[in-house]
């Protein structure tokens, strides 16, 4: 369970996230919908402890992020999939991540298998397609076997097969009792993925409702 209480982020005069309060529950996929620039990424970065709120609070299972031991085992996230693997092979990227977080090496092979990258594990991630890069990012998010998973616009630019795969993965993670929080600017995507919907616009909360109720009322 993730709880936000009056979460706010200002950049100078600009209010990117404006007093957001909502909870993300385990066992379902919660969609985070809003147009580009609505404040989704900024909110997710604060939920992950990567950005400091101007005001307000995020609690993860009742604890502040700063107080979590082994955060990778609590929360896995897919933010910007491109950047981070440099010139490494997929295997080495994951192994380094595992080693710096006290995660056993055997887990690397497991997550490579889960995301379907075993056959290309010794190839450089730099040469990967967008879809393969996304899978590698997701493998990293799954490495610590976390109870909470957050995905920022995971299907952007993917082909239908990749989109289908990510959607099913999120549903299966939720059905294992995990907390799954996924952002998108597309209602059509959310309708096919999420059980519950949090909608924001210009940093403000517009709706926090079950998908069924949202569809009935909009
Ligand atoms: P979304 O993920 O919904 O597209 P963002 O969280 O990326 O929205 O951005 C929300 C708003 O905050 C936008 O107006 C964006 O320009 C602004 N913003 C985001 N990051 C910064 C930053 N580092 N400095 C200044 N403004 C920012
Ligand atoms: P790079 O320099 O490409 O970032 P490193 O040489 O730092 O990769 O390797 C990252 C980690 O992976 C190190 O802990 C290293 O011991 C381990 N490693 C490197 N090559 C292999 C390999 N072929 N099989 C298993 N582990 C490896």
């Amino acid at each position: 369970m993730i709880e936000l209480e009056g979460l706010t982020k200002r950049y100078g005069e600009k209010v990117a996230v404006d007093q957001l309060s909502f909870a993300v529950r385990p066992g379902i996929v919660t969609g985070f919908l809003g147009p580009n620039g609505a404040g989704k990424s900024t909110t997710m970065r604060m939920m992950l402890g990567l950005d400091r709120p101007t005001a307000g609070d995020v609690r993860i299972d009742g604890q502040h992020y700063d107080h979590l031991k082994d955060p990778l085992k609590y929360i896995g996230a897919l933010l910007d999939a491109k950047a981070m693997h440099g010139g490494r092979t997929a295997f080495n990227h994951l192994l380094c991540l595992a080693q710096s977080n006290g995660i056993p090496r055997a887990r690397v092979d497991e997550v490579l298998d889960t995301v379907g990258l075993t056959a290309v594990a010794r190839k450089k991630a730099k040469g990967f397609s967008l879809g393969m890069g996304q899978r590698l990012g997701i493998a990293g998010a799954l490495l610590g076997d976390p109870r909470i998973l957050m995905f920022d616009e995971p299907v952007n630019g993917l082909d239908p097969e990749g989109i289908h795969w990510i959607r099913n993965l999120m549903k299966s993670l939720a059905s294992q009792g995990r907390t799954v929080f996924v952002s998108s600017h597309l209602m059509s995507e959310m309708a096919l993925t999420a059980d519950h919907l949090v909608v924001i616009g210009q940093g403000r909360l517009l709706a926090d409702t079950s998908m069924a109720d949202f569809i009935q009322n909009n």
Side-chain angles (χ1 to χ4, degrees):
M1 169 93 108
I2 316 173
E3 292 160 287
L4 279 64
E5 178 82 49
L7 196 68
T8 300
K9 183 74 179 183
R10 287 193 206 95
Y11 293 108
E13 294 288 284
K14 166 96 198 163
V15 186
V17 174
D18 196 357
Q19 299 181 65
L20 281 187
S21 300
F22 62 86
V24 187
R25 297 194 307 274
I28 56 169
V29 176
T30 299
F32 192 31
L33 177 68
N36 287 325
K40 302 182 299 296
S41 297
T42 306
T43 302
M44 288 176 122
R45 292 182 56 78
M46 291 192 284
M47 291 168 83
L48 288 163
L50 298 173
D51 255 350
R52 221 156 249 297
T54 309
D57 213 17
V58 177
R59 268 161 296 150
I60 293 145
D61 292 341
Q63 289 184 285
H64 287 276
Y65 197 90
D66 296 348
H67 298 160
L68 290 181
K69 277 184 116 185
D70 301 324
L72 214 62
K73 293 174 192 167
Y74 252 97
I75 309 191
L78 176 74
L79 295 179
D80 187 349
K82 286 168 278 276
M84 55 224 170
H85 8 80
R88 292 195 192 122
T89 66
F91 178 84
N92 277 347
H93 167 68
L94 293 171
L95 186 62
C96 289
L97 203 55
Q99 284 173 336
S100 52
N101 285 279
I103 292 164
R105 180 198 176 102
R107 184 72 190 139
V108 171
D109 293 319
E110 270 176 35
V111 295
L112 280 165
D113 184 53
T114 303
V115 303
L117 289 181
T118 304
V120 293
R122 306 289 168 169
K123 293 206 190 319
K124 292 210 163 152
K126 252 194 323 210
F128 280 10
S129 68
L130 182 68
M132 286 159 78
Q134 264 337 45
R135 283 172 192 251
L136 182 56
I138 290 171
L142 296 174
L143 206 51
D145 196 18
R147 302 305 303 159
I148 300 174
L149 286 139
M150 304 208 342
F151 302 95
D152 193 3
E153 299 268 8
V155 304
N156 259 6
L158 296 193
D159 59 21
E161 196 209 332
I163 293 175
H164 189 70
W165 180 81
I166 290 189
R167 230 181 249 152
N168 283 343
L169 177 75
M170 290 191 292
K171 287 179 189 181
S172 119
L173 291 166
S175 74
Q176 293 163 0
R178 296 176 214 264
T179 301
V180 180
F181 190 57
V182 53
S183 74
S184 178
H185 61 283
L186 296 171
M187 179 57 203
S188 54
E189 178 52 35
M190 296 277 83
L192 291 168
T193 308
D195 307 296
H196 191 91
L197 200 56
V198 172
V199 187
I200 65 168
Q202 301 187 325
R204 296 209 184 109
L205 188 70
L206 300 178
D208 177 2
T209 170
S210 74
M211 182 59 74
D213 284 353
F214 187 83
I215 287 171
Q216 198 155 50
N217 297 324
N218 285 276

